[in-house]
Amino acid sequence: MKKIFLLFSIFLLACVFYFIDFHGFIDSLISFPLATVLGVFLLFFLNFMVVTVRYWRVLRHFGYGINFLDVAKANISGSIASLLMIPLLGQVAGRHVMLERAGVSAVENAAIAFYERFVVGSLSGLLALLGGFFIFSSEVFDYVENVPVLEVSVIFTLAFLSYFYLVAGRLEGFVVKKLFAWKALLNFIEVYALTFLANALVLASFFMVFSVVLPEANTLSVLSLAAIVSFLAGLPVSFGGWGLRELSSISLVSLLGGAAASALAASVILGVMSIAAVLILFPVLLIARKPQEVELRHEYQSRSPSVMGLEEVAVWILTLMVGGLVFFQIHVQIGGGYLNVNLADPFAMLIFSVAMLNLLLKREMPEWRVPRFNLYLLLMTLAIVVAYLHGYFSFGSSTWASGKLVGWLVLLGYLFCGYMVVRYFRMPGFFRFSKLMLISLALILLVSIVKWFLFINGFLNFKGFSYILEAYSGNRNALAFQVLMILVIALAFDAWYIKQPLKLAGLDVLFFVVALMVAAILITASRSAILTLAVVFLCVFYFGMARRKFLLVSFLSGGLMFTGAQYGMYLVSVLDSYMLLGLGPQISAAVPLPISTESSDSLRLTLLTTAFDMWLNNPLFGAGLGAFYHESADVIGIDVVVHNTALWILAEFGFVGFVSFAIPFVCVIRYAVTECRLKVARNAIILLLLVFAIMSLFHEIFYQRIFWIFMGACIAVPRASGRSI
């Protein structure tokens, strides 16, 4: 992943230097006032000191009374490590190396990193947004209007409020009470104040440099430019901000009438000085000091067994954030294309960093109920890396293949998310975790179906909305797969829902949600999902995995919901016209189901035969990761992926790669059928793999995040001291 960030930065820098006059850049760089350069260095140095103080205070808030010098060494180590590897992982790893002796676990370090990033990102993002409004006004409004920030925020908040009202227990209530106590609020204000000071120092450094580039621009314009560029440079999508900072600087400075070469010189000075301000403190790491035990003592070490520990709280927060946000795939327009961002990915990457730190520093490997599962994960990782290198040397690099390479690390983060839920809180904890996901999806479907109903019947016109139900997944088949995953988990845990029902005003929430999920799958008109739904129904009904009466009534109710949503207004209109009652608006025709056409079926068949031919031409090791997507435009006429997971793996990984992927799935099936003693877990694994197998015949679903969360939970081994919440 470090390579991906580095390549992205190199690509942006190459584009920048290709279009910029190099001699003009050198002249601008040399002519920059020395006083300005030294001032920028001093401001970055002061910023780093403030950030170190903030980290020291956050550790105190988390209960660690660690000496400031040790905290400074940890922060320097993390900052330097973030220059050498993935920024987020590097920061957590560098800090953890220094503070492990203090008893700060990898989970707590990751939680602290998230806490800091949230505070910094929210503040710098707000300032950048204000700057964007000042400079661009109407353009920013257009971008913000296309991103459903308010809608997502409301659903996310309602989901968590509903979870705490319907599901949360005494231990979770204790944690929430602590988080929202006056002391916690004052600590949060302190952290925000320090962050504001650090951000002000960064903005001042950017302002000093850009004031030289834009001497005639007014102060607010330069400040707005500084806020936008500093925010973009801080995004964890490039190597230390390089490339993205230069590109945004040139674009904005040119917009305000400045020279592109001068903007590039200013940006390079900012990048170099920010690194120099960290590296100059490297000698601090060489200070030999043996910390005293009292300074490394965790203040909350002695606690009641009935209270969650800090590490457990960190796991609880990180995993719940993944469960609540995984359904939100936001599509942001960037120029002529779109950037797809899953809001849960940053938290999944934090969890991945925790697992890697435990592995590298503590030699602690995840424990699975499936024997040698870690070995299988390693083989799958090697297969993806080898296939990527094969494709790279065969036809060059491609964005799609790089995305798959990075995406595999993200999937591992989701797998470890499910693992950590069960590892720390056992299966009852995962049951509660799945309830949060159930509630979140129910709210998303409810809002999406209501909007869809109003849209297709002409009551309201939502900008950018589609007559095909997609919610926040961006694709109806992806939405249907998510719904099927939640549905089978709910049915598998039906016996537990009987003992711990979801009740709201005396009504069975699970019954309503199952019916809603059935209706949503039918509304998507995804034939593969409807077929899978039918197979799931027959399997659950035949083997008695859930109450048969509940299954029949909820599925029938879902069918009635679908009929009412799809054809209700048309039926009312027909009845109104026939009986002359004047009940409502006249609907001339029923809204047709968006079922795929024959041309779509023909294209799918062409994709499958082309992928099969590619495998026959490269039977053992495949054509390389991204080969099909690379050749699809020439062979088929459009950029497209293989709509079959098995054929995709065979075509690009070959038979050897296919075996490395197939073995772990076979072992999981064997465990579920012959060894799993917990009935709900066995039912969950069987149904999850059943849905995966059927849907993968018609779509490439290997990279669906939600499947890996559930699979990680179902085969995880809880630790001996794990707590049932």
Side-chain angles (χ1 to χ4, degrees):
M1 193 168 183
K2 167 194 168 186
K3 181 181 177 182
I4 301 302
F5 287 129
L6 181 59
L7 289 176
F8 180 63
S9 294
I10 292 175
F11 171 74
L12 291 179
L13 287 172
C15 292
V16 167
F17 279 100
Y18 180 79
F19 290 104
I20 299 298
D21 178 25
F22 185 75
H23 294 291
F25 160 71
I26 296 297
D27 292 338
S28 299
L29 195 63
I30 296 174
S31 63
F32 242 86
L34 180 60
T36 301
V37 176
L38 293 177
V40 168
F41 171 80
L42 179 61
L43 288 170
F44 274 121
F45 181 82
L46 293 174
N47 166 73
F48 185 81
M49 297 306 297
V50 173
V51 169
T52 303
V53 172
R54 183 184 67 199
Y55 182 43
W56 177 58
R57 293 302 301 162
V58 170
L59 284 168
R60 292 272 177 172
H61 299 163
F62 273 66
Y64 287 100
I66 303 174
N67 182 274
F68 181 77
L69 179 59
D70 296 316
V71 176
K73 292 171 68 175
N75 203 35
I76 295 168
S77 175
S79 299
I80 293 176
S82 65
L83 299 175
L84 304 175
M85 60 176 73
I86 304 169
L88 186 58
L89 178 58
Q91 183 187 47
V92 175
R95 289 176 171 183
H96 187 67
V97 168
M98 290 294 175
L99 295 184
E100 185 181 11
R101 290 183 56 197
V104 184
S105 68
V107 174
E108 291 164 328
N109 250 318
I112 291 172
F114 154 68
Y115 179 39
E116 289 183 293
R117 295 244 170 182
F118 169 76
V119 174
V120 173
S122 59
L123 181 58
S124 61
L126 177 61
L127 293 176
L129 187 62
L130 292 175
F133 278 127
F134 182 79
I135 295 177
F136 299 107
S137 60
S138 61
E139 288 85 352
V140 173
F141 276 110
D142 291 338
Y143 273 100
V144 173
E145 186 181 12
N146 291 328
V147 179
V149 177
L150 179 61
E151 188 176 311
V152 170
S153 301
V154 170
I155 293 175
F156 177 75
T157 303
L158 285 177
F160 270 88
L161 290 176
S162 301
Y163 171 80
F164 285 114
Y165 181 76
L166 297 171
V167 180
R170 182 172 57 88
L171 291 177
E172 294 160 309
F174 172 82
V175 174
V176 173
K177 184 178 179 181
K178 286 292 183 182
L179 289 176
F180 290 94
W182 274 110
K183 183 178 180 181
L185 179 60
L186 292 175
N187 291 339
F188 187 72
I189 293 174
E190 179 186 3
V191 172
Y192 243 100
L194 289 170
T195 302
F196 183 82
L197 177 58
N199 201 278
L201 292 170
V202 172
L203 282 179
S205 64
F206 277 71
F207 177 79
M208 284 184 64
V209 172
F210 288 125
S211 294
V212 175
V213 177
L214 297 168
E216 298 181 0
N218 63 65
T219 303
L220 281 179
S221 296
V222 179
L223 276 176
S224 299
L225 184 153
I228 298 172
V229 175
S230 63
F231 171 72
L232 293 176
L235 293 177
V237 297
S238 62
F239 195 79
W242 288 97
L244 199 56
R245 178 180 52 243
E246 284 66 36
L247 188 62
S248 58
S249 297
I250 292 171
S251 301
L252 294 174
V253 167
S254 300
L255 182 67
L256 295 177
S262 299
L264 178 58
S267 182
V268 169
I269 288 173
L270 288 168
V272 172
M273 290 300 103
S274 65
I275 294 176
V278 175
L279 294 181
I280 198 174
L281 292 170
F282 178 79
V284 176
L285 298 177
L286 304 179
I287 298 176
R289 179 182 180 275
K290 184 178 180 180
Q292 298 181 9
E293 293 298 324
V294 67
E295 295 171 344
L296 300 180
R297 179 178 57 84
H298 188 280
E299 295 178 2
Y300 297 120
Q301 207 165 22
S302 58
R303 64 176 187 272
S304 170
S306 63
V307 178
M308 277 189 185
L310 183 58
E311 185 173 347
E312 293 167 318
V313 172
V315 172
W316 181 75
I317 292 175
L318 288 175
T319 54
L320 282 189
M321 292 300 286
V322 171
L325 291 172
V326 70
F327 301 106
F328 297 103
Q329 185 91 2
I330 305 301
H331 307 274
V332 183
Q333 186 175 359
I334 304 294
Y338 286 88
L339 176 66
N340 297 327
V341 181
N342 191 294
L343 299 184
D345 283 353
F347 300 96
M349 287 308 299
L350 281 172
I351 293 173
F352 174 78
S353 68
V354 169
M356 291 300 99
L357 286 174
N358 286 335
L359 173 63
L360 297 175
L361 302 179
K362 299 171 65 176
R363 301 295 188 268
E364 180 182 306
M365 301 184 68
E367 297 182 35
W368 310 97
R369 296 188 183 275
V370 177
R372 296 179 293 278
F373 194 71
N374 286 317
L375 175 61
Y376 301 145
L377 291 178
L378 177 61
L379 291 176
M380 293 167 73
T381 303
L382 290 175
I384 292 176
V385 172
V386 170
Y388 177 81
L389 294 175
H390 182 192
Y392 180 82
F393 289 111
S394 297
F395 51 83
S397 63
S398 68
T399 304
W400 188 89
S402 299
K404 290 297 181 182
L405 180 64
V406 175
W408 171 242
L409 300 182
V410 178
L411 289 185
L412 289 177
Y414 284 99
L415 180 76
F416 294 142
C417 173
Y419 165 81
M420 290 181 67
V421 171
V422 174
R423 183 70 173 166
Y424 282 83
F425 307 115
R426 301 180 176 273
M427 286 304 289
F430 172 63
F431 181 48
R432 290 196 179 192
F433 176 82
S434 68
K435 285 182 177 179
L436 170 65
M437 299 186 72
L438 180 86
I439 293 169
S440 299
L441 181 64
L443 290 172
I444 290 171
L445 293 179
L446 188 61
V447 170
S448 299
I449 290 176
V450 169
K451 289 179 62 179
W452 169 84
F453 176 82
L454 295 174
F455 178 80
I456 65 169
N457 288 293
F459 292 106
L460 291 175
N461 184 21
F462 301 101
K463 186 177 180 180
F465 202 74
S466 172
Y467 74 99
I468 300 176
L469 185 66
E470 298 176 341
Y472 303 101
S473 65
N475 181 281
R476 61 174 171 178
N477 296 304
L479 173 64
F481 184 80
Q482 292 175 350
V483 175
L484 284 167
M485 288 284 106
I486 298 295
L487 176 62
V488 297
I489 287 294
L491 295 178
F493 278 86
D494 181 61
W496 287 22
Y497 273 106
I498 295 175
K499 299 177 182 179
Q500 301 178 38
L502 285 174
K503 292 284 187 178
L504 182 62
L507 299 176
D508 187 356
V509 174
L510 180 64
F511 171 81
F512 170 77
V513 175
V514 170
L516 186 65
M517 288 190 288
V518 171
I521 292 172
L522 296 175
I523 291 173
T524 63
S526 170
R527 292 173 296 174
S528 56
I530 295 173
L531 171 63
T532 307
L533 179 68
V535 174
V536 166
F537 173 83
L538 294 175
C539 181
V540 173
F541 186 86
Y542 181 79
F543 292 104
M545 294 180 176
R547 294 163 289 173
R548 290 187 171 92
K549 181 179 179 181
F550 171 85
L551 191 67
L552 286 169
V553 176
S554 60
F555 271 59
L556 179 61
S557 300
L560 293 175
M561 281 187 185
F562 160 71
T563 303
Q566 183 73 39
Y567 303 111
M569 291 305 301
Y570 172 70
L571 295 176
V572 169
S573 178
V574 171
L575 182 64
D576 185 21
S577 300
Y578 180 73
M579 301 185 67
L580 302 177
L581 298 177
L583 296 176
Q586 299 296 312
I587 308 296
S588 59
V591 178
L593 283 172
I595 298 176
S596 300
T597 61
E598 292 184 5
S599 60
S600 175
D601 295 335
S602 176
L603 174 61
R604 188 183 301 273
L605 181 60
T606 304
L607 294 175
L608 298 181
T609 55
T610 304
F612 189 74
D613 291 338
M614 180 176 287
W615 174 52
L616 292 180
N617 294 328
N618 308 272
L620 288 181
F621 301 103
L625 185 60
F628 189 90
Y629 188 84
H630 177 74
E631 298 179 7
S632 60
D634 296 331
V635 177
I636 302 173
I638 57 174
D639 293 325
V640 67
V641 299
V642 183
H643 281 48
N644 181 292
T645 301
L647 271 179
W648 165 62
I649 295 175
L650 282 170
E652 298 190 350
F653 294 79
F655 181 76
V656 175
F658 179 82
V659 170
S660 66
F661 284 95
I663 288 177
F665 283 91
V666 172
C667 291
V668 170
I669 295 172
R670 179 180 176 276
Y671 161 74
V673 175
T674 62
E675 299 177 24
C676 186
R677 297 181 180 179
L678 186 61
K679 183 179 178 181
V680 291
R682 180 175 68 248
N683 292 344
I685 294 173
I686 292 173
L687 292 176
L688 287 171
L689 291 176
L690 179 65
V691 172
F692 184 90
I694 299 175
M695 289 290 287
S696 67
L697 294 175
F698 308 98
H699 309 283
E700 200 298 281
I701 59 169
F702 186 81
Y703 278 78
Q704 288 294 323
R705 297 164 175 83
I706 194 169
F707 170 78
W708 295 95
I709 298 176
F710 291 155
M711 190 53 60
C714 290
I715 62 174
V717 175
R719 64 180 183 177
S721 58
R723 179 192 303 276
S724 296
I725 61 173

